[in-house]
Amino acid sequence: MRSGHRCVPYCSARRCVRVRSSDNRLDIPLGLEHTGTDKRHKRGSDHDRASNPAFCVITVTKRRSPISVSQPYSSAAPSSGPALTAASLLEANDLCVFRGDRLVLDGVSLRLNAGDAMLLTGPNGAGKSTLLRVLAGLRKPDSGALAWQGQSIFDDRAAHAERVAYIGHQDALKPGLTVTENLHLFARPGASMAEALEAMDLLPLADLPARLLSAGQKRRTALARVLLAQAPLWLLDEPSLGLDSAAITLLGNAMAAHRARGGVLIATTHVPLPLDNSCALDLPGATDPRSFAAYEGDEA
Ligand SMILES: Nc1ncnc2c1ncn2[C@@H]1O[C@H](COP(=O)(O)OP(=O)(O)OP(=O)(O)O)[C@@H](O)[C@H]1O
C-alpha cells in the first residue's frame, strides 16, 4: 500500500542531465534552477558555458529536504507581445513529479521560444511521457511552475488546452469512424482537411474506417489531427512510432512547417528524428530499485 505521505529521498546522489543545442540559435535553451539544499551545482560550470555557449549542463540532485510548492508563476509580468512572437513561449521552472512514491522528475526546467524544438530522450521509465503530460496540462506537477508567455498555465487550463496539440503512445482513433470523420472531431476553424490529409499522405485512405488501418496509417492519422488542431504547442510522444521512412519524411516536413510558422514542439523519441536545429533534454533513468508498492496509487 502506498504511504500517505510523499516519500522524499534523503539520498544525496547527484544525477546529471546534459542539454545541448545543435546550433547557437537558442540562448541558454534549457536550464535547471536547483532549489534544494545543495546550491553548489547550479546549471553548468562556468567552464562549460564559456567553452561552448550552446551547451549547458543541468544538474538534478535528489533532495535532502521536502519539496515546497513554488510561488504561482503568474506573478511574473505577462508578455505584451503578440502570440507566437514573444520570447519564452513555454517556460517550465523546477518541475518535480512523483509517480507513486518515486520522484520521476526532479527539478526540470526548460525554456522554448517561437520556432524552437526540443527532443526529449532518456531510457524507458525516465519520465519523458510524464513530462509531456505535465507540459500539456494533463497532470499537475507536485511542485514547480509552468507558464505560457509568462502566465501560469494553471490559471486557465482550458486556454492551455486550446494551444496544445498532444499525441500520446495511443493513437486514440474511433475505430468505427473513417479517417476523415476522426479528423473532423479535432479540426479547428480555419484548418484545411485536404491539406492535412495530403501532408500525411492520407488522401487514398480518407474514407476508410480507422479499424482497418495499419499501425503506421493510424499514426499518420493521429499526426494529421495535430496539424488540424492549429495549435502553437506540439507535444509529440514518440511521433515516429510505426512510421515508414516516407512517412518520417512527411513528419519532418510537418514539424519544419510548424516551426516556420512560429510554433514550438517537444517530441520524445528513442530514434533519430528529422529535426534540424533542435535542442535535446536527456532525462536520467531510475537508479533506485523499487518494490511494487512504490507504483501503487498513481493511475493518472
Ligand atoms: N500509472 C502509473 N503509476 C505509477 N507509476 C507510473 C505510472 N505510469 C508510469 N509510472 C512510472 O513513471 C515512470 C516514468 O514513466 P514514463 O512513462 O513517463 O517514462 P518514459 O520515459 O516515457 O518511458 P518510455 O521510454 O518507456 O516511454 C516510470 O518509472 C513508470 O514506472
Side-chain angles (χ1 to χ4, degrees):
M1 197 174 81
R2 180 180 165 220
S3 63
H5 187 274
R6 294 291 192 199
C7 169
V8 179
Y10 275 70
C11 171
S12 64
R14 193 159 62 89
R15 298 182 293 171
C16 290
V17 180
R18 300 217 136 214
V19 180
R20 66 183 180 280
S21 169
S22 55
D23 68 359
N24 291 347
R25 207 162 54 83
L26 306 178
D27 56 332
I28 312 178
L30 302 163
L32 182 146
E33 301 290 351
H34 171 54
T35 57
T37 53
D38 185 351
K39 298 273 187 193
R40 287 170 302 166
H41 310 293
K42 200 170 179 182
R43 294 198 173 171
S45 67
D46 289 341
H47 172 74
D48 289 322
R49 287 192 294 274
S51 58
N52 185 351
F55 191 94
C56 68
V57 178
I58 59 178
T59 305
V60 179
T61 306
K62 286 190 178 178
R63 290 153 196 275
R64 300 190 182 94
S65 57
I67 295 165
S68 61
V69 177
S70 306
Q71 288 300 308
Y73 201 88
S74 55
S75 58
S79 164
S80 56
L84 299 184
T85 57
S88 295
L89 282 187
L90 181 69
E91 186 162 357
N93 281 304
D94 206 17
L95 294 178
C96 295
V97 176
F98 282 87
R99 307 280 342 229
D101 281 343
R102 189 187 140 215
L103 185 58
V104 173
L105 299 176
D106 185 0
V108 173
S109 297
L110 57 88
R111 191 162 65 239
L112 293 172
N113 300 325
D116 286 347
M118 189 177 83
L119 284 177
L120 205 48
T121 59
N124 292 141
K128 302 178 296 296
S129 301
T130 302
L131 179 54
L132 274 199
R133 290 179 63 78
V134 169
L135 296 176
L138 298 171
R139 184 188 180 93
K140 256 199 142 177
D142 291 278
S143 68
L146 181 55
W148 180 264
Q149 292 189 299
Q151 184 79 25
S152 171
I153 72 157
F154 302 110
D155 288 353
D156 188 347
R157 288 172 92 150
H160 190 62
E162 289 278 307
R163 64 177 75 103
V164 170
Y166 166 83
I167 56 169
H169 288 169
Q170 309 291 331
D171 294 316
L173 302 175
K174 298 206 175 300
L177 300 185
T178 67
V179 167
T180 306
E181 287 166 345
N182 266 288
L183 294 178
H184 267 305
L185 296 177
F186 293 89
R188 296 243 173 90
S192 164
M193 179 65 66
E195 278 177 26
L197 288 168
E198 190 174 0
M200 287 297 136
D201 193 21
L202 288 167
L203 284 169
L205 307 172
D207 298 323
L208 216 56
R211 68 173 181 278
L212 300 183
L213 299 176
S214 72
Q217 290 166 342
K218 283 181 184 156
R219 200 61 172 165
R220 276 157 45 199
T221 307
L223 289 167
R225 209 172 52 201
V226 169
L227 303 182
L228 289 166
Q230 304 261 291
L233 175 57
W234 287 9
L235 299 170
L236 313 176
D237 207 347
E238 299 191 48
S240 67
L241 210 62
L243 297 185
D244 61 24
S245 59
I248 288 176
T249 302
L250 296 177
L251 169 64
N253 295 342
M255 292 192 295
H258 173 63
R259 295 172 70 189
R261 286 192 299 270
V264 173
L265 78 87
I266 301 177
T268 74
T269 189
H270 291 288
V271 297
L273 288 182
L275 206 51
D276 291 335
N277 300 324
S278 60
C279 59
L281 173 58
D282 189 29
L283 293 176
T287 51
D288 52 327
R290 284 186 291 170
S291 67
F292 176 71
Y295 291 82
E296 287 188 305
D298 180 5
E299 296 301 326

